[in-house]
């Protein structure tokens, strides 16, 4: 199989899990290469996500590494079998930054999504006008064609909310994000009305962290927690001034689960949150 010019975050994750499995077994890349009848460089490419791996090879590796976690192995096989399939986000490759496509792929394959947002409305909840305003604030300004592509790609991401067997989506949104007037009062009001509509869907939970909440004290920051078919394949996506990062080390995952639970404990329930959003919308 030829090397990929660019490995997606999901492909890199598959390779990383194989590397973890090998290291846990105390096996060298040279030993693995000998098993597969190849050279260590190709093993490195597999573990970096630049080279695919067949189901037969993956199961051979799992047996060689004496991995007895059948649920994890089956999940990795499913990932490997899907390597050749292109998702809708691939239509934007080369125009939209690859990390934004990785977020769409992460959401598409997740079995459960949880997000914390402090200053912005969650991406998949955003209206077109709100999204265009947010991307319009980019520094330096985006070229018109890239701006439009980013808007279109973000709006298409919202399809994860409406498809058959859509994953449960839980959002903790800080009051600050709800009061930000991106695009002015009219755009902000339409955005809040859209969130209220979404909050009535049975698989979507929107809960507000009010300014008055005790115990928050600025301890939270934006993140997306995407649950995989097994906990070992969970991923956290965070934004920063330097770009998008994906975390999947067990300690990081545990910390972000605690963070989410901590903030959920001080958030309003779904009904009170809906009323709270309505009040803010009415006052715009």
């Amino acid at each position: 199989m030829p090397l990929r010019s660019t490995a997606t975050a999901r492909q890199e994750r598959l390779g990383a899990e194989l590397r973890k499995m090998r290291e846990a077994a105390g096996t060298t890349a040279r030993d693995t290469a000998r098993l597969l009848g190849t050279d260590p460089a190709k093993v490195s490419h597999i573990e970096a996500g630049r080279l695919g791996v067949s189901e037969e090879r993956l199961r051979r590796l799992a047996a060689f590494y004496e991995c007895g976690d059948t649920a994890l192995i089956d999940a990795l096989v499913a990932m490997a079998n899907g390597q050749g399939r292109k998702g809708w986000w691939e239509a934007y490759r080369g125009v939209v930054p690859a990390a934004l496509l990785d977020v769409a792929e992460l959401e598409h394959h997740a079995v459960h999504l949880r997000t914390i947002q402090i200053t912005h409305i969650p991406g998949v909840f955003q209206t077109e006008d709100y999204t265009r305003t947010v991307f319009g604030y980019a520094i330096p300004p985006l070229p018109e064609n890239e701006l439009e592509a980013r808007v279109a790609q973000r709006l298409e991401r919202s399809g994860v909310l409406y498809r058959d067997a859509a994953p449960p989506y839980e959002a903790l949104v800080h009051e600050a994000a709800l009061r930000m007037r991106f695009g002015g009062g009219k755009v902000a009001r339409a955005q809040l009305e859209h969130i209220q509509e979404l909050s009535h869907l049975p698989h979507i939970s929107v809960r507000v962290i009010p300014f008055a909440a005790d115990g928050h004290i600025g301890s939270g920051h934006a993140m997306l927690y995407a649950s995989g078919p097994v906990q070992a394949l969970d991923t956290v996506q965070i934004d920063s001034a330097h770009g998008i990062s994906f975390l999947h080390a067990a300690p990081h995952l545990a910390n972000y689960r605690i963070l989410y639970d901590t903030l959920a404990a001080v958030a309003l329930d779904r009904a009170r949150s809906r009323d709270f959003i309505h009040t803010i919308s009415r006052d715009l």
Side-chain angles (χ1 to χ4, degrees):
M1 183 177 291
L3 291 180
R4 303 183 181 99
S5 57
T6 303
T8 69
R10 184 172 170 83
Q11 290 162 348
E12 290 177 351
R13 182 61 183 281
L14 172 59
E17 291 302 319
L18 289 174
R19 184 182 67 251
K20 286 183 195 175
M21 205 181 288
R22 175 178 61 76
E23 291 174 346
T27 304
T28 67
R30 187 172 298 278
D31 292 333
T32 298
R34 192 175 298 115
L35 170 76
L36 299 179
T38 185
D39 57 84
K42 285 192 176 180
V43 173
S44 295
H45 286 313
I46 289 173
E47 294 181 349
R50 293 187 295 267
L51 191 62
V53 59
S54 67
E55 176 177 349
E56 184 272 336
R57 274 193 164 186
L58 197 156
R59 292 192 182 279
R60 283 181 63 198
L61 290 174
F64 184 57
Y65 299 148
E66 298 183 351
C67 176
D69 190 338
T70 56
L72 173 61
I73 295 169
D74 288 344
L76 293 177
V77 166
M79 291 175 69
N81 288 340
Q83 289 177 120
R85 301 182 198 133
K86 291 190 175 182
W88 62 263
W89 50 87
E90 290 297 333
Y92 295 93
R93 193 165 296 282
V95 182
V96 169
L100 295 180
L101 307 186
D102 288 336
V103 173
E105 185 177 30
L106 181 68
E107 291 169 335
H108 177 81
H109 291 286
V111 300
H112 193 138
L113 292 158
R114 285 173 284 177
T115 189
I116 299 169
Q117 294 296 329
I118 307 300
T119 59
H120 291 79
I121 301 302
V124 293
F125 292 176
Q126 293 179 10
T127 64
E128 181 175 349
D129 289 338
Y130 184 99
T131 297
R132 182 169 279 104
T133 300
V134 170
F135 282 131
Y137 288 157
I139 300 175
L142 298 170
E144 186 64 23
N145 67 319
E146 184 173 343
L147 172 64
E148 292 303 318
R150 289 199 190 194
V151 171
Q153 190 264 349
R154 174 159 291 183
L155 293 177
E156 200 163 351
R157 273 176 55 198
S158 66
V160 72
L161 302 176
Y162 303 105
R163 73 185 190 206
D164 292 340
Y169 199 108
E170 300 178 52
L172 300 180
V173 184
H174 198 278
E175 182 179 345
L178 301 173
R179 293 193 180 276
M180 294 283 188
R181 296 196 177 197
F182 288 108
K186 184 177 180 181
V187 171
R189 187 181 306 110
Q191 176 63 79
L192 296 185
E193 290 171 352
H194 181 57
I195 293 175
Q196 288 179 277
E197 293 173 4
L198 290 173
S199 71
H200 286 283
L201 297 177
H203 64 290
I204 295 178
S205 169
V206 180
R207 298 177 58 200
V208 176
I209 304 169
F211 285 129
D214 292 332
H216 173 54
I217 319 298
S219 61
H221 53 272
M223 71 98 179
L224 174 68
Y225 192 107
S227 298
V230 294
Q231 192 174 83
L233 294 181
D234 290 358
T235 301
V236 167
Q237 177 256 317
I238 56 175
D239 297 319
S240 72
H242 306 291
I244 292 173
S245 300
F246 298 92
L247 309 175
H248 46 77
H252 289 150
L253 296 175
N255 286 341
Y256 277 98
R257 287 194 296 271
I258 292 171
L259 172 63
Y260 187 92
D261 291 342
T262 299
L263 296 182
V266 300
L268 303 178
D269 62 29
R270 294 176 67 174
R272 292 173 64 202
S273 292
R274 195 177 295 120
D275 292 341
F276 195 92
I277 294 171
H278 175 71
T279 299
I280 296 175
S281 175
R282 186 186 57 199
D283 292 343
L284 287 174

